[in-house]
Amino acid sequence: MPDDSSPIGADDELVISDSEQLRAVSNVVRHRILGILRDQPATITQVAAKLGIAKGSASYHVRLLERAGMVAVVRTRKVRGVTERYYERTARVIRLPAPAQGEPDVLMRHAVADLEAAPVGPLRTVRLHHARLSDAAYAEFTARVEALLDELRAVSDPEQPAVTLALAFFRPQDTNRPQDRT
């Protein structure tokens, strides 16, 4: 009989703060497992099937995430004498620290890996645009982007097919711009 414990921290935010957590989330397979567990609990078998990897590999990655405090068992049930564990994220939102200057941005690397694995077709929009903006215009666009992301989060329905919006809006290093501005 299933243990009907409630989801752990379903509305909480986890800020990645130590090297074990950063190591756990830095792997693209574990990133994808966190995506699978975003909306509902899943067993190792279900995770392996969704990712197309061996159960042993899925188990290894889930255990690393569990040790790092990013996933936890939320329900168990007996199936033919074996205890099946359902895992779920410990927080709805996981915040990564900003990368140090010159270091890789883990979040964007995962987004690019997911984009490269996505099927090419009409359900895929990829654009790159460069512009020159004043600080005021930059701040205005940043606020509008944040509002759009909040709107997307508000209409998200776990029963619908997944979509990903990867966005990087930033000022690149510009030798023509004074370095004291951020």
Side-chain angles (χ1 to χ4, degrees):
M1 182 132 193
D3 169 66
D4 292 324
S5 60
S6 61
I8 297 175
D11 294 321
D12 295 344
E13 177 176 288
L14 174 63
V15 178
I16 301 301
S17 59
D18 66 41
S19 59
E20 183 177 15
Q21 289 175 321
L22 191 55
R23 181 177 163 279
V25 78
S26 293
N27 179 279
V28 73
V29 172
R30 293 188 286 273
H31 157 78
R32 289 177 177 154
I33 290 170
L34 289 169
I36 290 168
L37 301 177
R38 178 180 25 252
D39 297 316
Q40 63 186 9
T43 65
I44 297 295
T45 301
Q46 292 167 333
V47 167
K50 287 182 181 183
L51 291 177
I53 62 176
K55 280 176 55 175
S57 180
S59 178
Y60 167 79
H61 289 292
V62 168
R63 275 195 227 123
L64 280 176
L65 290 167
E66 184 178 28
R67 218 176 15 243
M70 302 173 84
V71 303
V73 175
V74 293
R75 184 170 70 236
T76 60
R77 73 177 188 154
K78 289 278 189 190
V79 178
R80 293 185 293 277
V82 176
T83 300
E84 196 171 56
R85 293 175 182 87
Y86 285 81
Y87 293 87
E88 188 173 69
R89 285 169 42 158
T90 56
R92 192 89 176 120
V93 175
I94 297 174
R95 297 249 184 249
L96 298 176
Q101 183 71 31
E103 291 294 315
D105 188 310
V106 171
L107 187 62
M108 288 311 294
R109 288 202 176 186
H110 290 331
V112 169
D114 288 346
L115 173 63
E116 290 170 343
V120 177
L123 297 178
R124 176 176 154 158
T125 302
V126 178
R127 292 181 57 188
L128 175 65
H129 186 82
H130 299 281
R132 295 205 171 259
L133 300 174
S134 68
D135 287 343
Y138 182 83
E140 178 186 337
F141 272 91
T142 298
R144 289 170 57 192
V145 163
E146 292 291 336
L148 181 62
L149 292 170
D150 290 343
E151 182 181 339
L152 180 62
R153 188 176 303 113
V155 301
S156 181
D157 179 351
E159 301 297 319
Q160 298 302 315
V163 299
T164 297
L165 174 61
L167 179 72
F169 186 61
F170 60 97
R171 285 200 185 276
Q173 183 176 355
D174 185 346
T175 57
N176 296 324
R177 184 171 171 81
Q179 293 300 311
D180 60 338
R181 290 182 164 171
T182 55

